[in-house]
Structures are given as C-alpha cells and as structure tokens.
C-alpha cells in the first residue's frame, strides 16, 4: 500500500479539512495555503508524479481538473478565476509523491514560473 501523507489522509489516519470526496479522488485544504483558497485534489489511485500517469490513466487527470472546476463553480469563484498547478519532481518543488493538483483562488494571483 502506498504511504505518502496524502494516503494517510485518504485512509483517515491523519486529519485534514476535506472539502470533497468521491470514489476516484479526495480534495482537502492545503496545510500551508499559498492563496486565500488553496485546495489539493488527489486521486485515490497510487501515482507518484505526473510522469507516472499511463495513457490508460489519462482520465485520472481529467477527473482532478473537472473536480477542481466544479468546486470553483460551487464555491462561487469560477468567474473571478483561479489557477490549477501540478508540480512534478524537484525543479517544480514537488514534496509529496502522490499526484495532486493545487487549486489556488480567492485573490488576484502573482505570476509564476520564474527560475529561482
Ligand atoms: P507539492 O509541493 O508536492 O506540489 O505540494 C504538496 C503540498 O502538500 C504542499 O502545498 C503542502 O503544504 C501540502 N501538505 C504537506 N503535508 C500536508 C498535510 O499533512 N496536510 C495537508 N492538508 N497538506 C499538506
């Protein structure tokens, strides 16, 4: 069984502020928010990084993005706008090796992608 911190959240072994869950994925608030709204969308299928998504698993990524957009609409900030981000490996700063999509919203967001 995979054992990242996110799998522990999926298995309810550690607490999280869960905002959505279905058979495919779970969404919960980031513990260190980088925007007024910062929610992580995590598939239940173990996949370490975006590099590891097989063509047969493309639907997993689709479900994350659709769930994020649905959440934005439900919460009323879809029209104002939001950003989704998937960090992959070291240069993007990935720290948890279970695929996840960041949803950032709630205020105008700064630009991104500047090399350190
Ligand atoms: P990454 O840098 O891998 O793209 O994103 C990992 C995210 O997980 C970070 O934004 C970090 O704040 C968040 N995170 C790490 N540990 C926990 C935790 O135990 N609970 C929650 N809710 N978020 C976490």
């Amino acid at each position: 069984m995979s054992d990242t911190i996110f799998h522990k959240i999926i298995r309810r072994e550690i607490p999280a502020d869960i905002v959505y869950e279905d058979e495919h994925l779970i969404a919960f608030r980031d513990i260190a928010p980088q925007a007024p709204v910062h929610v992580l969308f995590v598939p239940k299928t173990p996949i370490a990084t975006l590099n590891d998504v097989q063509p047969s698993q493309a639907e997993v990524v689709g479900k994350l993005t659709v769930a994020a957009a649905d959440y934005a609409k439900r919460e009323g900030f879809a029209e104002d706008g939001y950003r989704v981000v998937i960090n992959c490996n070291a240069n993007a700063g990935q720290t948890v090796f279970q695929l996840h999509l960041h949803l950032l919203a709630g205020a105008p967001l700064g630009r991104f992608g500047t090399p350190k």
Side-chain angles (χ1 to χ4, degrees), residues 20-111:
Y20 177 77
E21 183 170 22
D22 63 26
E23 60 186 307
H24 304 291
L25 63 94
I26 191 167
F28 50 88
R29 292 186 197 285
D30 196 294
I31 205 168
Q34 303 297 308
V37 176
H38 188 171
V39 175
L40 302 172
F41 291 78
V42 183
K44 292 183 174 177
T45 305
I47 302 173
T49 79
L50 193 58
N51 289 338
D52 300 302
V53 178
Q54 302 304 306
S56 62
Q57 296 174 309
E59 202 178 36
V60 172
V61 180
K63 285 185 188 305
L64 295 182
T65 55
V66 169
D70 283 349
Y71 180 77
K73 291 173 199 167
R74 237 179 6 258
E75 293 297 309
F77 58 80
E79 292 305 317
D80 284 342
Y82 55 91
R83 179 174 294 153
V84 296
V85 173
I86 297 175
N87 292 323
C88 183
N89 282 337
N91 277 1
Q94 184 175 3
T95 58
V96 178
F97 288 86
Q98 166 65 3
L99 180 68
H100 53 281
L101 177 151
H102 296 255
L103 170 63
L104 301 150
L109 302 168
R111 297 304 297 171

